Amino acid sequence: MTEKTTNLTQNQKDFQNIGQKISVVGAGLAGSECALQLADMGYQVVLFEMREKTMTPAHKTGKFAELVCSNSFGSLNPISAPGQLKWEAEKLGSHILKMAHESAVPAGQALGMDREVFSALITEKIKNHPRIEVRTDVVKSLSDVPRPTVVATGPLTHDDLAEDLRKHFGDEFLYFFDAIAPIIDADSINTEIAWKADRYGKGTDDYYNCPMNKEEYNRFIEEVAAAKKIEPKHFETTEFFEGCMPIEVMVERGPQTLRFGPMKPIGLDDPRTGRYPWAVVQLRQDNKEGTAFNMVGFQTRMAYAEQVRVFRMIPGLENAEFLKLGSIHRNLFINSPKRLNKDLSSKNDPWLFFAGQITGVEGYFESTCVGLLVSRFLDQKLKDKSFNPPPRASALGSLLEAITDETRADHFQPTNINFALFPPLAEKERDKQIRKEKQIAIAREALETWRI
């Protein structure tokens, strides 16, 4: 054992002996969950939340775990990826999930909450916890907080801290990502219409191509133009980059714009006719397993229901199942596969951890779960235990893999939990319902074994 390793181990022992505090920056969903978990483990926690003094453009109150965009944690369906994530988080004692159920409102199969009741419950629980100290200081630099530290500041990180993080990681650590194209379940693509090919045959036929004739294209353009759009919040209003232009903005430039952009058909001969069609929608593989494909160049701010309606007009996508719908928004996050270790600590500082949306997950509850995981990883490290992540087959393990897999670093995009992240079954199962049931069963068995 090296001298450096010996000293590090002694530091960990000292931490236990003197009752040093853990810093958590940000009292959103991830930070609140992480702080409560660590406090319950017996650690003293200092939780920094600036909103009592400095409000963000999105938040309305200084309460913790405030829900900004919606009041839903998504599906409770036990045979769904979001439902499985909740099942696992409940097994691990998620405080946020417990408070969500206590503040639940009728929302069909989704877990919807009364926003005010929910954030009030979390705020009260944190402020009354004997091992959590709340500070309203604005953390502007990583040097403002002693290690170990968990940064859970989300996409609206204070500008000064964001700049300090940029210096910590290097120029490429943060992206302002404002283009997300829809992602489609591969099994829902009609392969009697869509065919695989690369433009001019200069590849390995990796793309699905959905053809349109002139009449279909014109009707599609009309529906895109007429569809209801989600307008950005005032703090998200920016000039669109040419490389991530929403399709409806391109349509506004002229009805033929898409045909000379993402729907360009040149070099893609339809095998049924031997000629290229009037327009083509291309689908590109989105995961290693080939179970998910994204719509190339189809970032959009159409309302979700409108996306489903309009995109199912595309030949080959009549029965498309969307694993993720498109959006345009400002987002700040770390290229986690490149900049973070598997335990979500910085590769430049092993006692600096990150949790929540800043790590590249999307969704309220996904952010919560990353905070839950980081609390366990930090506990393992402080107790000199080997790193023990959740099993790959579980929802938690699949989500962690999605944000730490180094093969994703060059094209890293935020993600929420979906079946495309799970490992594929050893044997192909064509029945979609049976396949999901099998994946859920495997995930649950793996998680239960890991918990023992």
Side-chain angles (χ1 to χ4, degrees):
M1 183 177 292
T2 65
E3 181 179 349
K4 183 177 180 180
T5 304
T6 303
N7 290 337
L8 183 61
T9 302
Q10 187 60 50
N11 286 341
Q12 296 167 14
K13 292 177 180 178
D14 289 345
F15 182 96
Q16 298 296 314
N17 293 333
I18 66 176
Q20 184 181 335
K21 297 176 180 179
I22 299 173
S23 302
V24 177
V25 185
L29 293 163
S32 295
E33 181 72 67
C34 188
L36 286 166
Q37 293 290 335
L38 289 168
D40 283 354
M41 293 172 187
Y43 298 107
Q44 296 293 323
V45 178
V46 179
L47 178 61
F48 293 85
E49 177 48 64
M50 69 178 187
R51 283 185 288 114
E52 287 190 13
K53 293 180 178 179
T54 304
M55 196 60 62
T56 74
H59 293 86
K60 304 297 183 186
T61 75
K63 292 181 179 178
F64 305 153
E66 180 184 340
L67 304 178
V68 175
C69 297
S70 79
N71 69 327
S72 174
F73 275 179
S75 178
L76 286 168
N77 182 349
I79 311 300
S80 71
Q84 176 59 20
L85 190 65
K86 294 178 183 65
W87 184 90
E88 295 180 14
E90 184 176 17
K91 292 293 183 181
L92 299 185
S94 168
H95 289 281
I96 293 291
L97 183 59
K98 184 175 184 293
M99 297 299 103
H101 282 296
E102 289 186 16
S103 57
V105 296
Q109 283 195 311
L111 177 54
M113 296 84 73
D114 181 306
R115 299 173 195 249
E116 294 187 7
V117 173
F118 174 73
S119 60
L121 286 171
I122 297 296
T123 302
E124 181 181 9
K125 189 173 186 67
I126 287 175
K127 289 190 171 181
N128 290 335
H129 201 296
R131 285 187 289 275
I132 298 179
E133 175 191 352
V134 176
R135 295 184 187 174
T136 58
D137 305 350
V138 178
V139 176
K140 297 183 177 182
S141 168
L142 294 174
S143 61
D144 291 346
V145 283
R147 305 295 186 267
T149 291
V150 179
V151 176
T153 49
L156 294 174
T157 299
H158 190 279
D159 289 346
D160 291 341
L161 180 57
E163 175 59 20
D164 196 55
L165 287 169
R166 186 191 65 77
K167 294 176 182 177
H168 174 81
F169 286 113
D171 290 342
E172 297 179 356
F173 97 98
L174 284 178
Y175 298 175
F176 285 91
F177 184 83
D178 58 346
I180 298 176
I183 297 176
I184 295 171
D185 187 327
D187 286 343
S188 69
I189 300 168
N190 182 354
T191 55
E192 292 185 3
I193 294 176
W195 78 97
K196 275 196 165 184
D198 290 274
R199 205 175 299 277
Y200 299 110
K202 295 181 178 179
T204 54
D205 295 345
D206 291 331
Y207 289 79
Y208 274 113
N209 298 277
C210 302
M212 282 187 182
N213 59 35
K214 184 175 182 179
E215 180 182 352
E216 290 166 336
Y217 175 82
N218 289 338
R219 186 165 64 251
F220 177 75
I221 294 300
E222 290 173 359
E223 292 300 323
V224 169
K228 179 182 177 182
K229 316 299 191 301
I230 301 298
E231 296 303 324
K233 298 179 178 65
H234 67 89
F235 62 89
E236 293 181 316
T237 303
T238 59
E239 294 295 324
F240 293 116
F241 294 109
E242 289 294 324
C244 57
M245 189 74 63
I247 59 169
E248 56 271 13
V249 175
M250 285 190 269
V251 169
E252 291 172 1
R253 294 181 172 184
Q256 300 301 312
T257 304
L258 286 176
R259 287 189 64 237
F260 293 90
M263 295 180 69
K264 181 171 62 175
I266 304 299
L268 294 168
D269 291 341
D270 188 334
R272 296 174 301 174
T273 65
R275 288 285 298 160
Y276 60 80
W278 186 255
V280 167
V281 175
Q282 287 198 299
L283 309 178
R284 180 175 55 220
Q285 187 170 322
D286 199 72
N287 62 357
K288 290 184 291 187
E289 296 78 17
T291 58
F293 281 75
N294 70 68
M295 300 178 68
V296 178
F298 267 63
Q299 52 272 5
T300 180
R301 52 188 168 88
M302 286 192 290
Y304 283 171
E306 292 286 77
Q307 290 185 46
V308 173
R309 179 183 67 82
V310 174
F311 292 155
R312 282 181 176 168
M313 295 174 61
I314 299 170
L317 301 183
E318 304 88 353
N319 298 306
E321 289 197 12
F322 293 90
L323 298 170
K324 183 193 292 186
L325 290 164
S327 64
I328 297 286
H329 58 89
R330 190 181 80 165
N331 201 352
L332 175 153
F333 61 95
I334 300 166
N335 186 336
S336 294
K338 182 182 289 187
R339 303 301 184 186
L340 301 184
N341 297 307
K342 288 289 186 179
D343 64 358
L344 299 177
S345 63
S346 168
K347 290 183 178 180
N348 296 334
D349 182 346
W351 291 103
L352 178 64
F353 290 77
F354 292 83
Q357 197 170 345
I358 198 170
T359 64
V361 294
E362 281 195 328
Y364 282 149
F365 201 66
E366 287 85 343
S367 296
T368 299
C369 288
V370 176
L372 177 61
L373 288 178
V374 167
S375 69
R376 298 175 74 92
F377 298 160
L378 185 48
D379 179 56
Q380 291 170 8
K381 197 166 192 173
L382 290 168
K383 291 178 178 175
D384 272 337
K385 294 181 178 179
S386 299
F387 175 56
N388 183 23
R392 176 67 179 86
S394 67
L396 287 167
S398 295
L399 190 63
L400 180 65
E401 176 72 7
I403 60 174
T404 58
D405 179 4
E406 292 185 354
T407 65
R408 300 172 185 256
D410 290 341
H411 304 285
F412 184 56
Q413 297 182 4
T415 187
N416 51 17
I417 190 66
N418 61 76
F419 276 119
L421 302 184
F422 287 65
L425 297 174
E427 296 182 3
K428 187 171 179 62
E429 173 58 62
R430 300 192 66 83
D431 187 293
K432 194 173 303 181
Q433 183 65 18
I434 294 176
R435 182 171 70 246
K436 291 179 179 179
E437 290 173 356
K438 287 183 176 181
Q439 286 181 301
I440 292 296
I442 291 171
R444 293 192 174 188
E445 182 180 0
L447 196 283
E448 289 284 29
T449 302
W450 179 67
R451 285 204 308 137
I452 296 175

